Amino acid sequence: MENVTTVNEFLLLGLTSVQGLQPFFFVIFLIIYLINLVGNGAILVVVILESKLHSPMYFFLGNLSCLDICYSSVTLPKVLINLLSTRKAISFLGCITQLHFFHFLGSTESILLAIMAFDRFVAICNPLRYAVIMNPQMCILLAVVAWFTSFFYALMHSVMTARLNFCRPQKLNHFFCDVKPLLELACSNTLLNQWLLSVVTGSISMGAFFLTLLSYFYIIGFLLFKNQSCRILHKALSTCASHFTVVCLFYGPVGFTYIRPASATSMIQDRMVAITYSAVTPVLNPLIYTLRNKEVMLALKKIFVRKLFKDCQQHHRD
């Protein structure tokens, strides 16, 4: 009989066991996190303040920026704390909470990317009815469906994982709490948990990915078969290119991690891949969208100049 015990906390093994590398990783992840906060925060502020960006495309972009800030905040602050700590512990409740919000926000992002692809499909393939189809009520409804569906999906994982019995030692082979490394510590039967992880998570992520690809195939097919000019085709594809880049960066690591069955040998690979979708991708999103989007860049400059002008006026008054 295995030593089953009431779990109060888990010990995170972290990114590296080499003490000399931990300050280096701390600086790198701190920079990544700050860029994420500033970059996505700037997009969120611009989308809210600039009236010209009050359209469905930028409404969903604002949602994505908010998601990326929250997504990184679920894992990176704890990673930074642990890189400076000798005892890298997380409470059982904190672990399950982290797991819940990580899957909640990740699932929301996958559905949101599919909605953004559908928005581009309607805008390009049916422009005359775009304002009718993607009206404000429909945009809010789609966003609410994405957030609520993902919340209950994540609740399934957090409840099912919390009900497991765990064995000593509670050393988690990861830098944050996720389902697969927790299943490695479980003494009870995890067959249902693994099935839910592979089938349900795979269905949501791959279903959203398929709908995203389908939208782009329709866009490309519509533009090619309608014999549009090269200029219009280039402009449309340029608009979609940034979105499709984000999709590839998000779904590649997620598919690699969650569709494969859990195993001890895969944990190291999963840990490295997790860095991509939990830290790197949220940072790249604002860079990709702002560098390739003239409207966002112009709005950023406009707000910056306006703020500078107000500061100068205030300085002269003083």
Side-chain angles (χ1 to χ4, degrees), residues 40-55:
N40 283 299
I43 291 178
L44 197 57
V45 169
V46 167
V47 169
I48 293 171
L49 294 182
E50 185 53 56
S51 58
K52 290 183 179 179
L53 300 184
H54 291 175
S55 66

Side-chain angles (χ1 to χ4, degrees), residues 188-290:
S188 48
N189 192 337
T190 62
L191 189 61
L192 178 58
N193 298 74
Q194 292 181 16
W195 183 85
L196 290 172
L197 189 65
S198 298
V199 176
V200 180
T201 304
S203 298
I204 290 176
S205 58
M206 291 301 102
F209 183 54
F210 174 75
L211 292 175
T212 303
L213 288 181
L214 192 63
S215 296
Y216 284 118
F217 283 138
Y218 268 108
I219 290 170
I220 294 169
F222 174 82
L223 293 172
L224 290 176
F225 289 113
K226 285 292 181 177
N227 297 317
Q228 299 279 11
S229 67
C230 291
R231 184 182 63 83
I232 295 174
L233 179 62
H234 179 267
K235 183 180 178 181
L237 292 179
S238 178
T239 304
C240 297
S242 56
H243 181 201
F244 190 67
T245 304
V246 171
V247 168
C248 292
L249 287 169
F250 179 78
Y251 280 107
V254 168
F256 178 84
T257 301
Y258 293 106
I259 293 178
R260 295 177 303 127
S263 67
T265 55
S266 69
M267 286 297 106
I268 296 175
Q269 293 174 330
D270 290 348
R271 191 165 50 186
M272 299 308 295
V273 172
I275 295 172
T276 304
Y277 61 77
S278 65
V280 178
T281 303
V283 170
L284 292 177
N285 285 353
L287 294 176
I288 290 169
Y289 277 111
T290 53

Side-chain angles (χ1 to χ4, degrees), residues 59-110:
F59 169 75
F60 294 123
L61 179 57
N63 270 263
L64 183 64
S65 294
C66 180
L67 264 174
D68 284 331
I69 291 172
C70 297
Y71 197 39
S72 289
S73 298
V74 170
T75 56
L76 288 187
K78 186 62 179 176
V79 170
L80 292 171
I81 292 169
N82 285 344
L83 285 170
L84 298 178
S85 305
T86 54
R87 193 169 185 274
K88 301 168 175 53
I90 183 170
S91 68
F92 179 81
L93 180 60
C95 187
I96 297 300
T97 302
Q98 189 180 60
L99 179 154
H100 174 80
F101 280 97
F102 185 78
H103 281 268
F104 165 42
L105 297 168
S107 175
T108 305
E109 182 156 345
S110 69

